[in-house]
Amino acid sequence: MHWIYLKPRPKPVITGEDRKKAQKMQPYEYISKWNLARDKFLPAIVYFYTGNTKLREAKYCHKLNAKVFSSDAVVKQSRKFVCYAIDTHLLHKTIKIAWRSPKAPTLIFLDCFGRQLSRKGTCHSMSPATAERIMRQIIKRNAIAVKRFKAEEARSQKKVANLKAEF
């Protein structure tokens, strides 16, 4: 699978050129490539793993990588997703709070608008067939969300056109 490894900043970041207008962004808001799923209308998989081999969870992450993420069917389905991987060992506390303290390995499936559709904690015993089935369900649910979004966007554009025509 093609993972985008996210490296969140450890501390809040000050943005803005002018000091008076500077804004304080939390680390998880500053992650680059986070909007990639929304821009392409693709669902996302957020995989929380641990890179610290001294922890017991590393064994489970390795098992999940070898068993599920190397399966041809899962790899084929993953091309329809934006796949993010985040090391839980390096997480900042604000990110842990935002994601409700994920333990490794955890898979969180999001639609393209960032709404959580499914959460599979301690998923090291998941089979490739189960992962593929979940991925197909998430793709269908994302397609419904995109269809609703586009319909709402078309309605709002129609309202704007009607208002312009009245004036």
Side-chain angles (χ1 to χ4, degrees), residues 13-14 29 39 52 62 64 75 91 94 101 115 124 146:
V13 178
I14 304 296
E29 295 171 324
D39 295 343
N52 187 352
H62 181 70
L64 185 67
V75 170
L91 280 181
T94 57
S101 297
R115 292 184 292 255
H124 60 275
V146 169

Side-chain angles (χ1 to χ4, degrees), residues 41 145-163:
F41 291 114
V146 169
K147 187 182 275 188
R148 286 181 185 158
F149 172 77
K150 289 184 177 181
E152 183 64 34
E153 193 174 81
R155 279 193 293 273
S156 64
Q157 287 177 354
K158 189 174 181 181
K159 286 179 184 178
V160 168
N162 289 340
L163 288 173

